[in-house]
Amino acid sequence: MRLVLLGPPGSGKGTQAARLKDYLQVPHISTGDLLRAEVAAGSPLGLQAKEVMARGELVSDDILLGMLEDRFSRDDTKAGFILDGYPRNLVQAAALSELLARLGQKFDFAVQLEVPTELLVERIAGRAQAEGRADDNPESVRKRLQVYTDQTAPVIDFYRQQGELTVVDGVGSLDEVFTRITEALAPAKEVG
Ligand code: B4P
């Protein structure tokens, strides 16, 4: 299955993708994790991305597409994938469609996790305490939410217009949200 998880920061994309990869037996590709690995390694790309991420802004589309092409060149993506954190704007959505067409791969679903803003802020504040991620401070969180509204929300319409969007309520326990996603995907899982 080829899946994209959409939702604002704190909506549970990374959390649910980590569970879905075992359920669907396909790799979980988180562009945030790929970028954080580059930052931790101190690579030239990581050095470029570090400040942008800490401010809560989007890293350049060219860097992201290069990373994605590189990841998709690995054999484990042939049977499917769960993309978490990409696409984050309409340019990236078009780039993903082109990449999949070039690879002869059919896209299945975009799953949108819906969570009210107050709860997002609460969850991220919890992670800030637990993990101390550089972009989980209040100022960056505000910026990330704004970037989501301005640039990522239109991606939801992109998939809706193509008839590829499934909306899932992201409020509840990790298990409750996971069950809702798997129920939404069940018909496609049986077919493919
Ligand atoms: P990401 O790593 O994608 O970060 P995120 O949007 O905050 O989502 P994440 O998946 O980590 O959090 P989740 O909702 O699962 O991106 C970080 C940065 O990288 C971006 O700001 C940008 O700079 C850059 N970047 C990444 N992709 C890019 C792209 N395509 N283009 C350009 N730049 C890009 O979870 C959050 C918290 O909520 C966790 O603590 C979790 O435990 C908790 N939680 C989740 N579900 C819950 C539930 N049901 N109940 C209670 N708590 C829950």
Side-chain angles (χ1 to χ4, degrees):
M1 184 164 321
R2 299 183 181 88
L3 207 68
V4 158
L5 286 186
L6 298 170
S11 57
K13 303 180 299 292
T15 309
Q16 295 298 334
R19 297 173 153 222
L20 282 168
K21 81 173 181 354
D22 296 326
Y23 176 76
L24 297 172
Q25 295 288 303
V26 293
H28 166 203
I29 303 173
S30 157
T31 48
D33 285 350
L34 291 174
L35 286 166
R36 280 185 287 277
E38 296 285 346
V39 171
S43 69
L45 191 159
L47 291 176
Q48 257 181 286
K50 187 175 178 185
E51 297 305 321
V52 181
M53 291 173 77
R55 285 199 302 270
E57 293 169 7
L58 294 185
V59 176
S60 90
D61 294 335
D62 288 347
I63 287 183
L64 264 295
L65 183 58
M67 267 183 19
L68 204 64
E69 284 176 329
D70 188 46
R71 184 63 187 83
F72 273 60
S73 69
R74 284 167 53 185
D75 278 349
D76 67 342
T77 57
K78 289 213 170 89
F81 54 80
I82 302 158
L83 251 182
D84 152 24
Y86 192 101
R88 263 181 151 92
N89 60 29
L90 288 173
V91 172
Q92 294 185 4
L96 177 63
S97 297
E98 279 166 32
L99 177 61
L100 293 179
R102 215 183 320 139
L103 295 171
Q105 296 188 2
K106 188 193 152 292
F107 181 72
D108 290 301
F109 277 119
V111 176
Q112 179 200 355
L113 290 175
E114 269 193 329
V115 177
T117 307
E118 318 81 74
L119 195 53
L120 300 172
V121 172
E122 199 180 295
R123 285 182 185 177
I124 296 173
R127 184 170 64 187
Q129 282 199 321
E131 298 176 22
R133 219 171 88 172
D135 59 348
D136 279 344
N137 63 80
E139 200 182 321
S140 298
V141 171
R142 257 195 308 278
K143 180 70 188 175
R144 284 157 62 202
L145 290 170
Q146 190 61 49
V147 167
Y148 180 80
T149 305
D150 295 344
Q151 300 192 48
T152 312
V155 173
I156 290 167
D157 291 328
F158 173 90
Y159 287 113
R160 184 180 289 119
Q161 278 160 18
Q162 308 206 62
E164 294 167 338
L165 184 74
T166 301
V167 182
V168 171
D169 179 4
V171 180
S173 71
L174 303 190
D175 286 343
E176 282 166 344
V177 178
F178 181 72
T179 302
R180 282 181 209 135
I181 299 175
T182 54
E183 281 172 359
L185 298 179
K189 191 166 185 274
E190 276 156 27
V191 174

